[in-house]
């Protein structure tokens, strides 16, 4: 996962996580060939989950959404998928991303309902923090609907310094990425990738 200069190569990011319930989850960089998996993951979400993530009843991923996901630069725009194996196929069960504007970045997550409350979003956040710090991002911001208590809890329990500002319907959360949380993930070496996909 390091490039020739010894810097973290986010395009090859790949770790294996064990959740609190013992489930194995892979967290990896989104790839251009993930389009079909991302569409299936979105269509598997319940309307309430979609509304909490996008603030409205989004019905599908648009062509613009898919182009953006296929063209991440992994400098300014980083996306990670949480995946599991199901009947020999890789299934996306969560997605986290940030878009950087200088040293600050907007961060967002969505996790499939059957996997919510099991630590997937927390793990995605840990790994996005690790990448962000490597690329000079020192602050995350997120706009979260006030009713989305599970996501607010993920941010509160991250161990990162946090401030909030209330809006009409949403809370603006700011996290200071002063030190990377120490992930307990097992890094997967390049020669092990075939066992994941």
């Amino acid at each position: 996962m390091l490039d020739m200069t010894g810097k973290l190569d986010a395009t090859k990011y790949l770790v294996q996580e064990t959740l609190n319930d013992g489930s194995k989850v892979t967290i990896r960089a989104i790839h251009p060939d993930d389009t079909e998996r991302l569409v299936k993951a979105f269509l598997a979400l319940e309307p309430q989950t979609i509304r909490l993530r996008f603030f409205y009843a989004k019905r599908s991923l648009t062509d613009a959404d898919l182009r953006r996901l296929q063209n991440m630069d992994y400098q300014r725009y980083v996306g990670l998928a949480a995946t599991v194996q199901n009947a020999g196929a890789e299934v996306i069960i969560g997605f986290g991303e940030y878009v950087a504007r200088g040293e600050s970045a907007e961060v967002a997550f969505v996790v499939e309902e059957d996997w919510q409350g099991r630590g997937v979003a927390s793990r995605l956040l840990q790994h996005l923090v690790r990448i962000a710090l490597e690329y000079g991002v020192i602050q995350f911001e997120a706009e979260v609907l006030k009713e989305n208590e599970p996501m607010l809890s993920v941010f509160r329990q991250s161990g990162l310094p946090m401030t909030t500002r209330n809006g009409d319907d949403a809370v603006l959360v700011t996290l200071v990425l002063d030190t990377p949380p120490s992930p307990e993930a097992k890094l997967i070496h390049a020669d092990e990738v075939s066992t994941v996909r």
Side-chain angles (χ1 to χ4, degrees):
M1 289 194 318
L2 300 179
D3 66 17
M4 296 172 96
T5 66
K7 188 172 184 176
L8 179 70
D9 183 353
T11 65
K12 295 184 173 87
Y13 201 83
L14 181 68
V15 295
Q16 183 73 45
E17 287 278 8
T18 301
L19 303 180
N20 295 337
D21 64 3
S23 301
K24 301 287 187 193
V25 175
T26 298
I27 294 179
R28 64 165 177 80
I30 289 290
H31 304 138
D33 67 350
D34 279 324
T35 301
E36 186 177 327
R37 281 183 284 273
L38 287 163
V39 170
K40 282 184 181 177
F42 179 86
L43 294 175
L45 295 173
E46 293 179 8
Q48 174 68 354
T49 299
I50 292 170
R51 191 181 71 74
L52 290 175
R53 166 59 183 89
F54 295 99
F55 289 36
Y56 70 99
K58 187 178 178 84
R59 295 182 181 265
S60 64
L61 294 176
T62 65
D63 289 342
D65 291 332
L66 294 174
R67 274 194 305 276
R68 182 174 52 86
L69 292 166
Q70 292 167 342
N71 295 305
M72 292 185 187
D73 61 17
Y74 282 92
Q75 301 282 329
R76 187 184 69 82
Y77 181 32
V78 173
L80 296 178
T83 71
V84 295
Q85 293 294 315
N86 186 1
E90 184 183 35
V91 177
I92 294 175
I93 52 101
F95 177 76
E97 64 183 330
Y98 74 74
V99 180
R101 299 172 307 277
E103 294 183 337
S104 182
E106 184 177 347
V107 67
F109 304 89
V110 66
V111 176
E112 195 270 328
E113 294 80 17
D114 290 342
W115 290 87
Q116 290 177 8
R118 297 164 73 174
V120 175
S122 296
R123 299 306 201 295
L124 285 166
L125 177 60
Q126 287 177 350
H127 294 290
L128 286 171
V129 167
R130 180 177 181 198
I131 294 168
L133 287 169
E134 186 79 13
Y135 287 91
V137 174
I138 59 171
Q139 177 176 287
F140 276 168
E141 293 181 348
E143 192 172 4
V144 183
L145 286 173
K146 289 180 179 179
E147 66 195 87
N148 194 351
E149 181 54 38
M151 186 52 59
L152 292 170
S153 179
V154 167
F155 291 134
R156 276 195 301 269
Q157 295 175 15
S158 69
L160 296 166
M162 173 177 155
T163 58
T164 60
R165 192 171 71 232
N166 286 320
D168 291 336
D169 297 321
V171 178
L172 179 63
V173 175
T174 302
L175 298 173
V176 178
L177 315 184
D178 57 352
T179 56
S182 54
E184 298 171 359
K186 175 191 171 203
L187 296 179
I188 299 176
H189 299 288
D191 57 352
E192 297 179 79
V193 171
S194 61
T195 64
V196 176
R197 299 205 52 129

